[in-house]
């Protein structure tokens, strides 16, 4: 078994969290997902190169990210998968798991509650709420949908740490206000609108339409030119090609006007609707 360096004595995940950049936190979540897959496959040791490739980053960036966790692994040997996974879970605040309540029992809400991957990653949905009379009382993935009017006392009993909003745009702010008043300080919203909350409350928004628009932009940027565009460009190039004499030598045409090459001011722009 390889030697595994632990974090410096007395340094907890909570103490390290303040110094970790947001971009690194996002990549740590990716590393954690890869480590979970490796553990499921029975892999005990993974090199930085292997972990980096699986996570889609270069090994130098991975080593820099993991340096925020304190010393880990052994040069030339690799990382202990189980111990590194536990360390990242500690820093991400997943060691004790999270209890989640979800407001909005529509198609998206039901799909999220039924997804088993959340529980495997430390997130357990403990309550589901809605305001529609036809939905209240139904069972979804073993949970009975409760009336949102009972949210405050239910939160007091369920002790959730995270709330998820999957209601229509026009109801999202009211639900957010209700969650904040009930004591929730971490909220994930799938509503496309911006939500207003106190500075002490962390609100993250998932806008699926924006993500699709970004994919559309990347697709358009990387797509090959249309045939008619390519033909038009090649025609202009052929039209500007130097003429040749009968002897095969190009005829040089001199112009009295001066020309200067200029770089475009921008290589592209994204227009936000």
């Amino acid at each position: 078994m390889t030697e595994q360096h632990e974090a410096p004595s007395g340094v907890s995940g909570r103490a390290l969290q303040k110094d970790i950049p947001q971009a690194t936190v996002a990549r740590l979540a990716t590393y954690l997902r890869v480590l979970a897959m490796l553990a499921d496959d029975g892999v005990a040791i993974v090199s930085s190169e292997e972990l980096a490739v699986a996570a889609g980053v270069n090994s130098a960036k991975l080593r820099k990210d993991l340096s925020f966790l304190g010393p880990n692994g052994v040069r030339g040997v690799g990382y202990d998968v189980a111990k590194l996974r536990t360390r990242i879970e500690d820093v991400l605040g997943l060691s004790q798991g999270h209890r989640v309540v979800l407001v909005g029992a529509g198609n998206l809400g039901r799909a999220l509650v039924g997804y088993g991957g959340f529980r495997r990653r430390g997130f357990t949905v403990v309550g589901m709420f809605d305001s529609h009379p036809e939905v209240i009382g139904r069972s979804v993935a073993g949970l009975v949908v409760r009336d949102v009017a009972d949210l405050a006392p239910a939160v007091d009993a369920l002790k959730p740490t995270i709330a998820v909003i999957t209601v229509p745009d026009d109801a999202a702010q009211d639900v957010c206000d209700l969650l904040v008043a009930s004591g929730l300080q971490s909220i994930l919203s799938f509503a496309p609108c911006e939500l207003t909350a106190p500075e002490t409350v962390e609100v993250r928004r998932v806008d699926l339409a924006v993500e699709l628009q970004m994919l559309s932009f990347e697709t358009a940027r990387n797509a090959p030119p249309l045939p008619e565009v390519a033909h038009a460009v090649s025609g202009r190039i052929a039209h500007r090609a130097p003429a040749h004499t009968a002897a095969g030598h190009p005829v040089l045409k001199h112009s009295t006007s001066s020309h200067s090459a200029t770089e475009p001011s921008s290589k592209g722009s994204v227009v936000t609707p």
Side-chain angles (χ1 to χ4, degrees), residues 201-265:
V201 177
E202 179 71 18
V203 178
R204 296 192 64 85
R205 184 164 61 98
V206 179
D207 192 328
L208 297 179
V210 169
E211 298 302 324
L212 290 172
Q213 288 168 347
M214 294 303 296
L215 286 175
S216 173
F217 170 74
E218 292 297 336
T219 300
R221 181 169 64 177
N222 297 324
L226 296 175
E228 56 269 24
V229 175
H231 177 73
V233 172
S234 62
R236 288 196 298 270
I237 294 176
H239 181 71
R240 290 198 298 266
H244 288 73
T245 63
H249 298 290
V251 176
L252 301 180
K253 296 183 177 182
H254 298 281
S255 174
T256 57
S257 61
S258 61
H259 299 275
S260 61
T262 59
E263 286 291 331
S265 59

Side-chain angles (χ1 to χ4, degrees), residues 34 38 43 45-57 59 62 77-79:
V34 174
L38 292 174
V43 177
I45 301 295
V46 62
S47 69
S48 59
E49 288 76 14
E50 292 169 335
L51 183 54
V53 169
V57 302
S59 57
L62 177 136
V77 178
Y79 300 99

Side-chain angles (χ1 to χ4, degrees), residues 64-195:
K64 182 177 180 180
D65 289 339
L66 296 185
S67 70
F68 287 100
L69 312 183
N72 290 280
V74 177
R75 182 180 297 276
V77 178
Y79 300 99
D80 184 301
V81 171
K83 290 185 177 180
L84 182 57
R85 180 182 179 184
T86 298
R87 186 62 179 152
I88 295 178
E89 288 177 341
D90 181 38
V91 170
L92 294 182
L94 301 174
S95 301
Q96 303 302 319
H98 284 279
R99 297 168 65 82
V100 180
V101 292
L102 185 143
V103 182
N107 293 332
L108 177 57
R110 293 196 300 271
L112 292 174
V113 170
Y115 175 56
F118 291 138
R119 182 179 291 273
R120 291 196 299 271
R121 297 184 186 181
F123 300 92
T124 303
V125 181
V126 296
M128 191 173 189
F129 301 83
D130 204 288
S131 61
H132 201 291
E134 294 184 3
V135 175
I136 297 171
R138 289 187 180 183
S139 178
V140 179
L143 290 174
V144 176
V145 180
R146 305 188 190 191
D147 192 334
V148 72
D150 300 326
L151 180 62
V155 165
D156 188 55
L158 295 172
K159 307 296 183 185
T161 53
I162 295 175
V164 178
I165 298 175
T166 57
V167 301
D169 192 0
D170 57 358
Q173 185 60 60
D174 289 340
V175 170
C176 180
D177 293 342
L178 184 57
L179 290 168
V180 171
S182 300
L184 269 299
Q185 293 187 314
S186 297
I187 298 173
L188 176 66
S189 174
F190 283 86
C193 60
E194 292 285 351
L195 299 179

